[in-house]
Amino acid sequence: MFALFQTIDLALNIYIWLIIGRAIFSWLYAFNVVNTRNNFVAMVGDFLFKVTEPAMRPIRQILPDLGGIDISPIILLLIIYFVRLFLLNTIYPMVA
């Protein structure tokens, strides 16, 4: 059972890094640091968007309009952190 919880924790950890990667990529894109006409850069940006957008879209719909500031990645990271702590500190001890 511990292996299952470790696998879930690893998947959530990887997803955290994908969210951070998307946030960094969006900053690089906004300030024209990356060349989006490059196929590799476009594929990386498209991958990060497609992987993280389904989780961030519902958060954006709930949050009020903050102008040009998008705090949905921060909210999603906090939710994932809570889920990880809840799984490892509450659910796992009850199952193990």
Side-chain angles (χ1 to χ4, degrees):
M1 193 57 123
F2 185 66
L4 176 65
F5 281 99
Q6 279 188 323
T7 305
I8 293 170
D9 187 52
L10 177 64
L12 290 173
N13 195 19
I14 291 171
Y15 201 70
I16 286 171
W17 285 106
L18 290 172
I19 294 167
I20 293 169
R22 175 168 178 196
I24 292 171
F25 185 85
S26 70
W27 294 335
L28 294 176
Y29 180 78
F31 293 114
N32 289 324
V33 175
V34 294
N35 180 10
T36 55
R37 287 175 273 156
N38 183 336
N39 284 338
F40 178 73
V41 173
M43 285 185 345
V44 168
D46 190 47
F47 170 75
L48 291 172
F49 178 81
K50 287 181 179 178
V51 168
T52 58
E53 185 62 22
M56 283 198 250
R57 187 179 304 121
I59 296 171
R60 281 196 199 106
Q61 291 173 351
I62 295 171
L63 290 175
D65 186 23
L66 299 174
I69 299 172
D70 182 19
I71 62 168
S72 60
I74 296 169
I75 302 296
L76 185 57
L77 289 173
L78 290 172
I79 291 170
I80 291 173
Y81 181 73
F82 172 78
V83 168
R84 287 177 69 190
L85 286 178
F86 182 75
L87 283 173
L88 294 176
N89 294 332
T90 306
I91 303 296
Y92 178 71
M94 290 177 10
V95 176

